[in-house]
Amino acid sequence: MAEPTEKPDLSRHALFEGVAPEALEALQAVSEVRHIAGGEALVRQGADADALYFVESGRFRVVINQARIVAHIEAGEAVGELAFFAGGKRTADVIAMRDSSVLEVSRRAFDDIALRHPELNAAMLKLVSARLAVATARTASVTAKNPRVIALLPAGTSQMPDGFLARLAEAFEAVVRSETPVVPLDRATSEAADAHEYQAWLAEQEAAGAYILIDGSGSEDWGQMVCRNADALVMVGRPGQTDPAPNAMEEAAMRWIAEPQRTLLLLRSNAGKTISHSGDWIDPRAPKLHHHVALDNDADFTKVARFLTGRAVGVVLAGGGALGCAHLGVIKALQQAEIPIDFIGGASAGAAMGGAIARGMSVDETLDQMEAMFIHAKAMRRFTLPIYSLLDPTVFDSELRTRYGTRDIADQPINFFGVSTNLSTNGLHIHRRGPLWECVRASGSLPTILPPFIDSDGNILVDGGVLDNVPVKVMHGIKAGPNIVVSLGDPNEVWRTDVQYGDIRGRWSLLRDVVLRRKRKAEFPSIVEIMSRPMVVASRMASKEMLGQPALNDPTGQAGPFRPEGPFLCPDGSRRSGTEYYMPKSEVRGCYDNRRKLKFLKELAISSHVANSAKAAGVAVSTVYSWRERDPEFFRQWMRSLAAGYELLEMDMLDRARNGVERPVFHEGEQIAMVRQYNDGVGVKLLLAHKQMVALARAIEEDINPEQVRIDLDRKLGDMRMKLLRRRAMAEGEGKQSTSDNDE
């Protein structure tokens, strides 16, 4: 292992590239080294932003309202820069994910050095702009950074199998290939390292971008050091052979490493061995994911590596009624293409097909099972008195128990989830535990067709397609990595009937036809069709939304309606106006998109806020970014609008800085005066938020080097900040508090 660094070196941080060495030396001289133990808070939400931090080693998570993790911060990054430069309170908790060290710089010390070295401001503003760009684009930065330091511990009274760490490291290498180094570290190293040496070695490996797999078994001191400096915890157990209760080392590790970073591996000797009682291991550990690993199957090790590196392949199967068997064709095609299925989930018929695959059944076996259940046993053709439902579920339930079994979802060899609609809680119910057959039954409980399923907690569950027929968001929330989404049917399919409303028959006519077994040529839609159709509609709308397509009404079957608010731009470049009329579908789509683009650009030029502009245009944020990627001209217009919006914001900032804002003064509930307040923080925030975007916008518009624009902006912002600092110093020298310090 490398020797520990005697003195932190700020020049190692990419953030300070281009900053003069004397500036870094001065900044380093006034900084203090702080060591933060894993699980402790570096800053708290709502506290004063009176210091700036630079991470030397370790990792932190950013948590809003003590609940939502929004980012991870690694070595070489800054902490708290947004609140530090804008002034005000901390907007989130920053918690150490493992033993970490930071450099702390006070506000007064940084301002003093920045007066002499303005390039420090430029470096920090660059970081601020990048952070704000990520937030504005709603990039999922928290999922983009996979755990790099992974601690492995024996679970319960289990022992780590010989060669287990080496096999897992080989699987990692096969998944990441040559792009990323993989470093396994076994327990034999435990006697050759102290805490500082170990942390320095970790920092060196992380700087190289390596995945580090560490066996934490052995002495208690070694295990604690490994777990306190790990991003993720992998617990390895042997069900059926050892006690599932967590051992002391596991309990300590779970206090340091949060649930989203915990994984449980349940080993069995061979792939043919039955899996059972997984819940006894899962419940006391609350891992985000668990995996079954057969020691004679290399593919299981590779699967675990894909999950831990954010590359696991998910398959999401939509509901579709009788069309559900078509999912099996997609599954067969994936298998023939040798595309792995690491996680599978679905709604309604998708849950039924996914559950069969999760059990380890082949496509042919699943088809045979469906034929036996629905054709031979006629499970869905047994009517009853319409008190609880139209169909008698007795045979259907019996078939499900037989075909899917009573084993827990957690005991299936492939990870699986199903969704149903919870009428008790008015929300989506995600099935990841409980008997598999109950999940399939609840997820496929068509309202009025089948009675709702009542689970052990008394929840009333009906078909998952009622709320989410394409549960891809559920899959996104469970795992990182690519997903294959299968939605059945044509989103543009139109369902009509030749029957007139007056043709609906009364009860005596219906009874006579039933007795005489008479059928009419044009039958009024049945209750089954009517109840199932809303879920089909939901599926079609969800599919269009996923594809970025507008859900247009089409009363003619040949065209879509378009109600312009005035002249509008069509795909051929012409402008049209008028009342409602119909045009070919392809033309409707182009006109509709162009109108929304124009409205979005107009709003963007006023507000410079992407999300608000998209909302005003009636389009999703993801759609406008898709337009920008596909359409170079739209991208250029986007930049022009942002530049215009920036000019408005800059003028507003200057007006506030020069003229202030009048605010009323009240005494005992009555207004007694008006005072003029000055808020420099507002202007600084506006400039920080838009500096990078205006640089690119002006470069595109004026066909010049964007770097030159950035340099000019940096100079202007540095001059402005120094003027503000001088004014603050003059005010303090006169013995009064400058109103310009009243940041939010």
Side-chain angles (χ1 to χ4, degrees):
M1 290 187 181
E3 292 293 327
T5 305
E6 294 282 338
K7 186 178 181 182
D9 184 7
L10 286 176
S11 64
R12 298 188 298 106
H13 294 249
L15 173 66
F16 296 111
E17 183 178 356
V19 178
E22 53 269 23
L24 294 181
E25 291 175 1
L27 186 62
Q28 192 166 295
V30 299
S31 63
E32 296 182 5
V33 179
R34 286 186 57 186
H35 299 287
I36 312 297
E40 293 185 0
L42 175 62
V43 300
R44 286 293 187 187
Q45 186 172 341
D48 292 332
D50 54 1
L52 181 64
Y53 305 95
F54 303 99
V55 181
E56 281 293 302
S57 64
R59 180 184 260 214
F60 294 84
R61 61 175 175 267
V62 183
V63 185
I64 293 179
N65 298 327
Q66 300 182 347
R68 186 165 65 95
I69 300 175
V70 296
H72 289 161
I73 300 175
E74 300 177 336
E77 298 182 323
V79 178
E81 73 285 349
L82 296 179
F84 181 82
F85 281 96
K89 306 292 185 180
R90 304 290 189 187
T91 58
D93 294 330
V94 181
I95 311 296
M97 297 177 62
R98 62 183 199 237
D99 289 350
S100 306
S101 62
V102 299
L103 290 181
E104 180 180 354
V105 183
S106 68
R107 178 182 296 277
R108 184 175 295 274
F110 186 91
D111 288 346
D112 182 62
I113 297 174
L115 282 172
R116 303 192 303 271
H117 302 281
E119 65 267 28
L120 276 177
N121 280 325
M124 297 308 303
L125 291 176
K126 182 179 179 181
L127 172 64
V128 169
S129 299
R131 291 272 174 89
L132 288 172
V134 169
T136 303
R138 302 180 68 180
T139 300
S141 57
V142 66
T143 60
K145 296 180 179 179
N146 297 307
R148 291 287 178 171
V149 183
I150 303 170
L152 285 79
L153 286 180
T157 57
S158 304
Q159 298 292 322
M160 201 80 73
D162 292 337
F164 183 83
L165 181 65
R167 290 186 68 183
L168 187 59
E170 290 175 1
F172 265 72
E173 291 172 349
V175 169
V176 303
R177 299 181 182 175
S178 60
E179 60 193 66
T180 306
V182 179
V183 182
L185 190 65
D186 61 27
R187 54 184 177 267
T189 315
S190 61
E191 301 186 3
D194 59 29
H196 293 293
E197 182 184 3
Y198 179 72
Q199 290 173 11
W201 179 81
L202 283 181
E204 180 184 317
Q205 299 301 320
E206 286 186 286
Y211 283 102
I212 310 160
L213 309 178
I214 308 174
D215 185 351
S217 60
S219 69
E220 182 178 349
D221 290 342
W222 168 252
Q224 289 188 5
M225 186 171 68
V226 168
C227 294
R228 289 180 68 91
N229 291 278
D231 302 324
L233 174 65
V234 175
M235 296 164 284
V236 183
R238 299 291 298 269
Q241 299 184 11
T242 55
D243 187 352
N247 56 51
M249 192 66 255
E250 285 183 281
E251 291 179 345
M254 288 188 288
R255 290 195 294 269
W256 301 319
I257 302 176
E259 292 180 10
Q261 282 76 49
R262 300 177 199 164
T263 298
L264 175 64
L265 304 185
L266 299 176
L267 309 184
R268 63 191 193 279
S269 57
N270 58 79
K273 188 174 181 179
T274 302
I275 303 171
S276 63
H277 299 96
S278 302
D280 296 342
W281 294 79
I282 296 172
D283 292 339
R285 293 171 176 83
K288 179 155 186 198
L289 286 168
H290 76 280
H291 310 292
H292 297 284
V293 177
L295 295 177
D296 65 343
N297 188 3
D298 290 337
D300 284 353
F301 285 83
T302 307
K303 174 187 68 175
V304 172
R306 285 194 294 269
F307 272 102
L308 293 175
T309 59
R311 294 169 168 84
V313 179
V315 175
V316 180
L317 306 178
L323 294 176
C325 287
H327 287 312
L328 298 175
V330 178
I331 299 296
K332 190 170 186 176
L334 293 175
Q335 292 173 345
Q336 290 174 345
E338 298 183 350
I339 297 174
I341 299 176
D342 298 319
F343 208 128
I344 192 167
S348 193
M353 303 303 144
I357 300 302
R359 289 190 66 202
M361 299 178 62
S362 69
V363 169
D364 292 339
E365 289 172 336
T366 305
L367 282 171
D368 292 341
Q369 178 171 275
M370 296 298 115
E371 181 181 356
M373 191 177 344
F374 295 108
I375 297 178
H376 300 303
K378 301 180 180 179
M380 296 292 285
R381 297 184 184 180
R382 301 177 182 270
F383 292 91
T384 185
L385 293 175
I387 298 177
Y388 308 116
S389 63
L390 293 178
L391 298 181
D392 183 350
T394 305
V395 175
F396 184 47
D397 291 356
S398 177
E399 288 289 318
L400 289 178
R401 285 194 192 92
T402 302
R403 312 272 174 199
Y404 287 90
T406 57
R407 287 167 51 202
D408 197 286
I409 294 173
D411 290 331
Q412 311 307 319
I414 298 177
N415 286 6
F416 168 77
F417 76 85
V419 298
S420 62
T421 300
N422 194 324
L423 301 183
S424 301
T425 62
N426 305 314
L428 197 66
H429 192 94
I430 302 171
H431 299 260
R432 294 188 61 191
R433 294 291 305 279
L436 180 60
W437 85 269
E438 291 186 0
C439 166
V440 176
R441 172 65 173 83
S443 189
S445 297
L446 290 167
T448 73
I449 309 302
L450 288 168
F453 185 80
I454 313 297
D455 69 7
S456 57
D457 295 324
N459 292 304
I460 303 172
L461 309 176
V462 299
D463 197 293
V466 173
L467 281 185
D468 192 356
N469 201 51
V470 191
V472 64
K473 292 182 179 179
V474 177
M475 184 68 83
H476 277 304
I478 296 175
K479 70 157 195 73
N483 295 311
I484 300 169
V485 183
V486 187
S487 184
L488 304 172
D490 179 8
N492 298 311
E493 176 192 6
V494 178
W495 185 46
R496 291 189 176 89
T497 180
D498 296 329
V499 181
Q500 302 297 316
Y501 178 73
D503 292 339
I504 190 170
R505 292 175 287 169
R507 57 183 177 176
W508 296 115
S509 178
L510 285 171
L511 181 60
R512 183 176 63 252
D513 288 347
V514 169
V515 172
L516 299 176
R517 298 183 177 180
R518 293 193 308 191
K519 291 186 177 181
R520 299 196 176 186
K521 293 182 179 180
E523 189 65 58
F524 201 89
S526 69
I527 189 171
V528 175
E529 293 173 315
I530 296 169
M531 291 305 303
S532 62
R533 190 64 190 181
M535 289 180 289
V536 175
V537 172
S539 175
R540 302 290 188 263
M541 294 181 67
S543 299
K544 290 183 177 182
E545 184 178 356
M546 290 172 54
L547 298 172
Q549 300 175 353
L552 294 177
N553 185 27
D554 186 7
T556 69
Q558 302 298 321
F562 188 80
R563 298 178 175 88
E565 298 174 354
F568 58 93
L569 187 66
C570 289
D572 60 1
S574 63
R575 303 182 71 85
R576 303 178 183 178
S577 60
T579 59
E580 179 178 337
Y581 67 97
Y582 295 88
M583 64 180 72
K585 288 181 179 180
S586 59
E587 198 173 345
V588 168
R589 172 68 186 278
C591 291
Y592 190 81
D593 284 352
N594 281 326
R595 186 179 67 152
R596 294 189 298 174
K597 287 178 181 178
L598 291 173
K599 192 164 186 178
F600 168 79
L601 294 170
K602 180 181 178 181
E603 291 293 328
L604 190 63
I606 298 173
S607 67
S608 294
H609 196 290
V610 175
N612 289 349
S613 301
K615 184 178 181 180
V619 64
V621 175
S622 59
T623 300
V624 297
Y625 278 103
S626 177
W627 288 342
R628 192 178 78 167
E629 183 179 351
R630 297 196 308 261
D631 188 349
E633 181 57 29
F634 180 72
F635 176 73
R636 181 177 287 273
Q637 293 173 350
W638 179 310
M639 293 296 110
R640 289 174 180 170
S641 298
L642 276 181
Y646 175 81
E647 298 294 343
L648 292 175
L649 291 170
E650 189 175 40
M651 293 173 61
D652 182 65
M653 182 276 293
L654 292 173
D655 181 71
R656 288 170 179 260
R658 291 172 177 171
N659 304 319
V661 179
E662 286 193 342
R663 301 187 185 278
V665 179
F666 294 91
H667 178 70
E668 296 181 352
E670 295 185 2
Q671 182 178 336
I672 61 174
M674 295 290 291
V675 297
R676 186 170 295 276
Q677 295 181 342
Y678 299 85
N679 193 330
D680 297 324
V682 173
V684 174
K685 285 181 179 179
L686 294 176
L687 290 176
L688 293 180
H690 296 275
K691 180 181 79 72
Q692 290 282 41
M693 294 304 297
V694 75
L696 181 58
R698 289 178 177 173
I700 293 174
E701 184 66 19
E702 301 173 13
D703 195 24
I704 59 177
N705 185 355
E707 188 59 32
Q708 184 58 49
V709 180
R710 292 192 182 95
I711 293 173
D712 294 339
L713 287 170
D714 289 340
R715 187 183 71 262
K716 292 180 181 179
L717 292 175
D719 293 341
M720 183 174 291
R721 181 169 181 81
M722 287 197 304
K723 290 178 182 178
L724 296 177
L725 291 173
R726 291 193 189 101
R727 186 167 64 179
R728 181 185 301 168
M730 293 175 60
E732 291 176 351
E734 296 172 2
K736 60 182 181 180
Q737 179 67 39
S738 173
T739 59
S740 66
D741 290 335
N742 295 328
D743 292 343
E744 295 180 349

